[in-house]
Amino acid sequence: MADHTGDRARQPKVDTSSIKTTTLMSFVIFALFLVAVLWGLFNSFINTYYARARTQEVIRTANALETQFIQDRDSFDTYAVQTAGTNGIYIRIDVSDSRLIYDGTRTVKDTGAFANDIARIRSKLESSPLESVTETRSSTGNNSRLVYAAYIRSGSDSDIMYIIAPLYPDEVTFRILRSMLIYISLIVVLVSFFLAYALSRRLSAPIENLTESAKELSQGNYNVKFDGAGFTETKELARALNKASYEMEKTDFYQREILANVSHDLKTPLTMIRSYAEKIIDISGDNPEKRNSDLGVIIQETERLNRMVTDMLSVSNLQSNNVEMHMETFDLVEAAEDVYESFRVLASSEDFEIQFHPCKSAWIVGDRSRIMQVMTNFVSNAVKYSGDNKFVDIRLNKGNRKVAFHCIDHGIGIPSDEISHVWDKYYRTSANHERDIEGTGLGLSIVKGLLNLHNARYGVESEEGKGSDFWFEMETVRKPNVKNDKSKAASADTEGSDGKED
Ligand code: ADP
């Protein structure tokens, strides 16, 4: 892997749009926001919250005191002193014959403390249908207090318990709470900073990995493997990039192959043309018979060149969707017969046997000349790759509203691991290299493009050394009636039918 530490060292500024910085900043901002909210809540709600919690606590305490008072009068004093102490409250119980007062440290004498508060709450209790009442009394500063009064169900109606509880935390409690909040804030900020740092590193690591690999790929190293370990998304990206790199490698390989093949294939006819032209100048120029024969070779080689260039143009047009189609309804069997006829001449001259097994007429919608090009390609390949067994069988099968064209040879066949590639442009099987059979590897990719434009199904069954069956299948349509036939409109009435097709 390339060392990019130098690059990093040279980057003086923080990259604010990087994943690392963004995650870090987001977390820190979030943490600060959280702390601000915490402090805001603390300052604005602590008093209200404290008052509410205190009220509930006082009511609970009162209930416990009442139970104790009724059930165990002997140990009540100790219990009440303790309760007053731990809760920081003032307790007064008026029973018929006495008044008990507890302030937290001991049982105290009645000094008339909180007399006003108690008088008020007593009248409130007496005028209320409830068993207990509370009231908040406030004086200057933070001296607000909760005043509570309740009847004690001890037998006498006039037994009442009063509790006075300060409603706000004292300064010490406030300070403790505040310092606790400072610690919490610090912990929140620190923890989120470390979390953010760890997360940002985890997030950016696979992306940095992928970037490094992409840099290597861009330098032509197709062996590089993309590793997006860590997250589903980066794994997915790595898989897509690995596929892309594999495809790039394949394309690159084929392009190099085709360059080698095409240069070789172009060179052969060019050499021939040049040497025959020289021959005409030097030797046969004055001899009309020899000269015509040499010119014939030149024309033949020029045609070969022309075919190759036409193939290349077709591929490029198909690739850019720049193909004009002349759709019409025509009989595939008739078109196939035309193809067969054109090869029959060759068959007789080159000791070939070509058989034709047609079916009844099968009308299809398509570009007749392009479909003929497809069939011609299949048959010429069958002839080209037939090896020593010079027998080719052209078959048409019809049924189920479909017609299939088969071109079967018993030639060299295609190795099973190469079958899927024969439709790729520039692909030529390994057997070609051994046998030095002329070709560009473009024919079948043109066929594939044309058949796709016709929405046809197509394929090949082949076995190495035994031969191949290249086929395509299209939907049949009704035979056009005579009037329509003249216009040859592409009436894509795909509703095949019962005998009427014929
Ligand atoms: P070309 O024949 O110009 O090489 P094609 O695209 O027509 O290109 O074919 C691609 C490859 O598929 C051929 O190079 C050949 O290896 C293989 N191929 C095509 N037809 C046959 C066949 N009938 N038998 C064996 N191999 C075939």
Side-chain angles (χ1 to χ4, degrees):
M1 268 201 200
D3 184 0
H4 289 270
T5 43
D7 284 6
R8 279 187 207 127
R10 254 179 268 126
Q11 289 174 358
K13 280 188 198 157
V14 177
D15 180 2
T16 48
S17 58
S18 76
I19 289 188
K20 267 188 194 157
T21 328
T22 315
T23 325
L24 209 65
M25 290 309 289
S26 313
F27 259 78
V28 169
I29 290 172
F30 178 68
L32 292 177
F33 172 75
L34 211 67
V35 168
V37 169
L38 217 61
W39 278 96
L41 287 177
F42 177 77
N43 285 332
S44 38
F45 292 117
I46 184 74
N47 287 344
T48 327
Y49 178 80
Y50 193 88
R52 192 176 305 150
R54 192 74 162 141
T55 309
Q56 280 165 5
E57 199 186 286
V58 163
I59 292 170
R60 261 198 311 275
T61 312
N63 287 339
L65 281 167
E66 186 188 354
T67 313
Q68 184 72 23
F69 186 80
I70 296 167
Q71 287 176 358
D72 192 357
R73 187 70 185 74
D74 293 342
S75 60
F76 180 75
D77 277 356
T78 323
Y79 179 75
V81 170
Q82 223 172 45
T83 308
T86 42
N87 292 288
I89 53 177
Y90 173 90
I91 305 166
R92 180 176 129 179
I93 298 172
D94 287 1
V95 281
S96 47
D97 50 353
S98 58
R99 176 171 291 173
L100 309 166
I101 297 174
Y102 311 92
D103 79 346
T105 48
R106 64 212 145 89
T107 313
V108 284
K109 294 250 164 55
D110 183 11
T111 56
F114 303 111
N116 278 346
D117 292 347
I118 287 172
R120 274 177 65 117
I121 198 80
R122 182 187 184 130
S123 62
K124 189 174 175 182
L125 179 69
E126 282 167 356
S127 58
S128 160
L130 302 170
E131 284 282 290
S132 66
V133 287
T134 55
E135 193 176 64
T136 308
R137 304 271 294 147
S138 55
S139 41
T140 46
N142 254 357
N143 291 330
S144 303
R145 56 204 176 270
L146 177 77
V147 185
Y148 170 91
Y151 292 114
I152 303 178
R153 287 175 293 272
S154 57
S156 161
D157 272 356
S158 55
D159 293 354
I160 300 176
M161 172 165 51
Y162 303 96
I163 295 177
I164 316 284
L167 259 191
Y168 296 102
D170 55 40
E171 250 323 294
V172 180
T173 320
F174 248 124
R175 260 209 309 276
I176 293 171
L177 283 175
R178 210 173 283 135
S179 65
M180 228 172 77
L181 205 61
I182 290 172
Y183 283 124
I184 292 175
S185 307
L186 274 176
I187 290 170
V188 166
V189 171
L190 282 177
V191 166
S192 52
F193 185 84
F194 282 115
L195 262 180
Y197 183 71
L199 185 73
S200 67
R201 278 183 70 94
R202 244 200 104 195
L203 274 178
S204 57
I207 296 175
E208 278 168 4
N209 258 349
L210 291 172
T211 313
E212 288 301 324
S213 307
K215 279 183 192 158
E216 285 191 43
L217 177 67
S218 70
Q219 278 154 17
N221 178 8
Y222 295 116
N223 289 329
V224 67
K225 277 277 156 279
F226 287 90
D227 178 14
F231 302 96
T232 314
E233 289 83 353
T234 46
K235 276 186 208 156
E236 201 66 33
L237 178 63
R239 216 170 298 140
L241 287 169
N242 278 328
K243 186 152 189 280
S245 115
Y246 170 71
E247 292 297 330
M248 275 168 71
E249 183 180 13
K250 214 167 73 172
T251 313
D252 197 45
F253 171 75
Y254 291 146
Q255 265 168 3
R256 264 184 247 171
E257 277 272 287
I258 181 59
L259 211 66
N261 285 349
V262 169
S263 350
H264 175 261
D265 290 344
L266 287 175
K267 226 174 154 205
T268 317
L270 282 173
T271 315
M272 295 275 274
I273 291 169
R274 189 197 161 106
S275 49
Y276 274 82
E278 279 172 357
K279 200 174 154 202
I280 294 170
I281 293 172
D282 296 341
I283 308 166
S284 60
D286 297 332
N287 180 338
E289 208 175 302
K290 276 193 177 164
R291 187 189 58 212
N292 285 350
S293 148
D294 290 346
L295 281 172
V297 175
I298 289 178
I299 289 168
Q300 206 180 322
E301 292 302 319
T302 321
E303 270 166 9
R304 201 167 124 194
L305 279 178
N306 193 26
R307 271 199 308 277
M308 287 170 66
V309 175
T310 311
D311 271 4
M312 289 178 192
L313 278 175
S314 298
V315 169
S316 129
N317 283 341
L318 276 164
Q319 240 175 355
S320 53
N321 269 339
N322 189 16
V323 182
E324 211 180 308
M325 301 278 279
H326 301 285
M327 302 302 261
E328 57 181 316
T329 307
F330 66 94
D331 181 6
L332 181 69
V333 180
E334 200 184 290
E337 194 165 0
D338 287 353
V339 173
Y340 162 65
E341 285 300 334
S342 67
F343 276 94
R344 218 154 58 107
V345 185
L346 173 102
S348 56
S349 67
E350 293 197 15
D351 203 18
F352 254 93
E353 190 184 341
I354 299 192
Q355 281 194 0
F356 184 55
H357 294 100
C359 58
K360 280 194 208 164
S361 337
W363 295 86
I364 58 166
V365 175
D367 184 325
R368 191 175 193 275
S369 65
R370 306 265 185 214
I371 293 292
M372 285 200 43
Q373 187 183 345
V374 169
M375 295 188 287
T376 306
N377 202 294
F378 280 174
V379 181
S380 75
N381 274 355
V383 171
K384 203 156 69 170
Y385 301 105
S386 62
D388 298 330
N389 188 325
K390 295 174 181 268
F391 172 63
V392 175
D393 188 6
I394 299 171
R395 279 180 185 272
L396 284 133
N397 298 329
K398 189 178 150 193
N400 215 8
R401 296 177 188 180
K402 290 195 170 88
V403 58
F405 171 91
H406 288 264
C407 176
I408 303 158
D409 67 66
H410 304 275
I412 63 173
I414 303 165
S416 55
D417 56 331
E418 296 190 53
I419 283 193
S420 57
H421 295 299
V422 294
W423 308 95
D424 295 347
K425 58 178 185 287
Y426 306 133
Y427 192 85
R428 311 199 68 215
T429 64
S430 44
N432 292 346
H433 309 303
E434 291 155 25
R435 291 163 190 256
D436 204 18
I437 303 172
E438 184 196 310
T440 54
L442 292 176
L444 287 182
S445 80
I446 296 171
V447 162
K448 172 180 158 184
L450 293 176
L451 289 174
N452 281 338
L453 284 176
H454 283 86
N455 286 327
R457 287 180 63 235
Y458 55 89
V460 54
E461 271 87 55
S462 182
E463 205 177 318
E464 197 174 5
K466 294 213 167 148
S468 315
D469 172 4
F470 277 86
W471 60 270
F472 69 86
E473 186 183 71
M474 287 180 74
E475 287 190 6
T476 51
V477 296
R478 280 172 206 253
K479 175 184 179 179
N481 59 38
V482 187
K483 274 185 230 155
N484 285 351
D485 196 22
K486 270 188 190 160
S487 64
K488 284 196 168 172
S491 61
D493 179 7
T494 47
E495 205 188 292
S497 64
D498 34 291
K500 279 185 188 162
E501 284 175 38
D502 303 331

